[in-house]
Each structure stands twice: as structure tokens, then as C-alpha cells.
Amino acid sequence: MEKPRPDAESGFPSVSAQNGGNCAETAAAPDRRVRRTRMALHMALMGLMKQRPYERITVQDIIDRADVGRSTFYAHYRDKDDLLMVGCAEHMRGVISAELAAWTGEPPLLAPIEIMFRLSAENPEIYRPLVGQRANATVLRSMQRTYAELLAEHLGPRLHLAPEDLDATVTFLSWGLFGLQEAVIDPHRPMTAVQAYHHLGRLWAGSGYALQRGSVARGDG
């Protein structure tokens, strides 16, 4: 099968120094087109996942709903798993940054984890293919790395640990988040996002750090 190639829709036109234009202005439009295309694909997949199981969704379904070409899809993503992982990671990062920025005073140390538990509880059909029993090994490992990276971004500046200690810490927390998140989205293992957050908080406290309590969303401990 011929490897898909980017087309004009993909948002990646060449910006040549020979065109005599303003490179910054010329690059801005493709960047906006890239964002619009990626958002359209992400929203198309999210909409489809509200209607049917993830395993029944095809790339063709996604591009039809997003109204983009097949080569455009493959210019941005390897497959639908890649779209789901990247889209969810970008959404998580945006929500975490916005909610922490709106916090009055310094947010609880584990606030990003509370937010991630809450997002999965609110969108179980989206998270099951990522952290549930049906997720494949590649997706599981990629999501764990994504969680570790997100936690390192937010906890690193506050923990003041040596790099190897920070790596061990976020690995511990990301796998704990991963395991408890599966319970939150599993309809046969009822666990609320709040319960999961406090379970992980107790494990964290037992490792030598005190859990700083408080709800990111509501501010009501």
C-alpha cells in the first residue's frame, strides 16, 4: 500500500526564504490551519466515541466527520490510537494549566492528579481505550509516559529533587494514577475520582510526603 503523503489541506506548506514574503506572517497561517485541522480531527473522534465503541470507529469515519482528506489525517497522525493519545494529552495539559492558573494561592501539590482523575470520571468512554483492559500495550506505555511527563512539568519545580529522584517519583505517581484511573472508568469497580485521589494521596503520604488536601475544581477540601 502506498504510504500516504501530505496534501495541501495538511497545513504544512513550505515556507521558503526565496518567496520574498514575511516568514513570520507566512508561517502563522499554516500554524492556524494545523491547529484547526487537529482540533477538527480530535472533535470528530470524540463525537464518534460518544456514539459507538472505539473499536468500531475507523479512520474513514473520523475523516468523514471532520471533512478532511485521508492524506491530511496521516500528515498529522499515524493512526486513530495516535490521534486519541495526542488529543487527550493536549486536552489534559490545557485543562491542568488553566485550572492551576485560576487557583487562589498555591495549589495542592497533587492537584494535577486530582484533575486527571476527574477528567477520566467525566469521560469514561474516551479513557477506556487508553487505560482500560482493552488498551494495547503500546497505548498503555505511551499514556504512562505522558502522565509522567505531565507530572514532572508541574511537580519538578516544587519538589526540588535530583533528576533521578524526580524520575523515580513521577514514575511511582504515574503508575499509581494509571492503576486507580482504570478503577474509576470501570463500571464493575465503582470508585469515584475523589476516592481514587485520596487513595493515591495516602500512598504518597506513606512515601514520606504529606498530602496537601483541597479540591482543584471547587476549593472545598
Side-chain angles (χ1 to χ4, degrees):
M1 181 181 296
E2 182 182 356
K3 183 178 180 180
R5 294 176 297 176
D7 61 11
E9 297 178 83
S10 68
F12 290 109
S14 173
V15 180
S16 172
Q18 299 176 358
N19 63 15
N22 184 308
C23 290
E25 293 179 358
T26 307
D31 285 347
R32 287 194 293 271
R33 287 198 295 271
V34 168
R35 289 194 295 272
R36 285 197 298 267
T37 298
R38 290 167 72 94
M39 179 58 71
L41 289 167
H42 178 65
M43 295 306 297
L45 178 57
M46 297 303 100
L48 288 166
M49 291 177 72
K50 298 285 186 181
Q51 299 173 357
R52 70 187 82 158
Y54 178 71
E55 57 269 20
R56 290 176 50 199
I57 299 171
T58 67
V59 169
Q60 189 64 51
D61 293 330
I62 297 167
I63 62 177
D64 286 346
R65 190 179 180 102
D67 194 24
V68 302
R70 179 171 287 270
S71 59
T72 297
F73 178 92
Y74 286 108
H76 294 276
Y77 304 104
R78 293 187 302 273
D79 51 31
K80 69 174 186 177
D81 288 345
D82 191 34
L83 168 60
L84 181 60
M85 288 187 292
V86 172
C88 283
E90 291 177 348
H91 178 65
M92 280 190 293
R93 181 173 276 106
V95 172
I96 290 170
S97 296
E99 294 199 11
L100 296 187
W103 187 269
T104 301
E106 190 169 60
L109 186 63
L110 300 188
I113 290 176
E114 184 182 11
I115 296 170
M116 286 190 272
F117 278 133
R118 176 160 45 82
L119 288 174
S120 61
E122 292 171 352
N123 305 280
E125 70 283 349
I126 292 171
Y127 280 82
R128 285 187 188 115
L130 295 171
V131 301
Q133 295 180 357
R134 295 185 179 181
N136 65 53
T138 301
V139 170
L140 291 172
R141 184 60 183 168
S142 294
M143 287 306 297
Q144 185 273 326
R145 284 198 299 266
T146 296
Y147 287 173
E149 290 168 2
L150 282 168
L151 293 174
E153 289 174 14
H154 291 280
L155 301 186
R158 296 180 63 179
L159 292 178
H160 307 293
L161 297 174
E164 61 273 15
D165 292 332
L166 177 62
D167 182 65
T169 299
V170 298
T171 298
F172 162 75
L173 288 171
S174 61
W175 280 116
L177 167 63
F178 203 90
L180 288 168
Q181 201 172 47
E182 184 178 356
V184 170
I185 64 174
D186 186 344
H188 304 296
R189 297 169 61 192
M191 178 182 289
T192 68
V194 172
Q195 289 172 332
Y197 172 61
H198 288 295
H199 275 306
L200 188 55
R202 284 192 290 271
L203 292 173
W204 172 250
S207 70
Y209 293 92
L211 171 62
Q212 299 181 39
R213 295 184 180 277
S215 169
V216 174
R218 300 174 299 280
D220 57 3

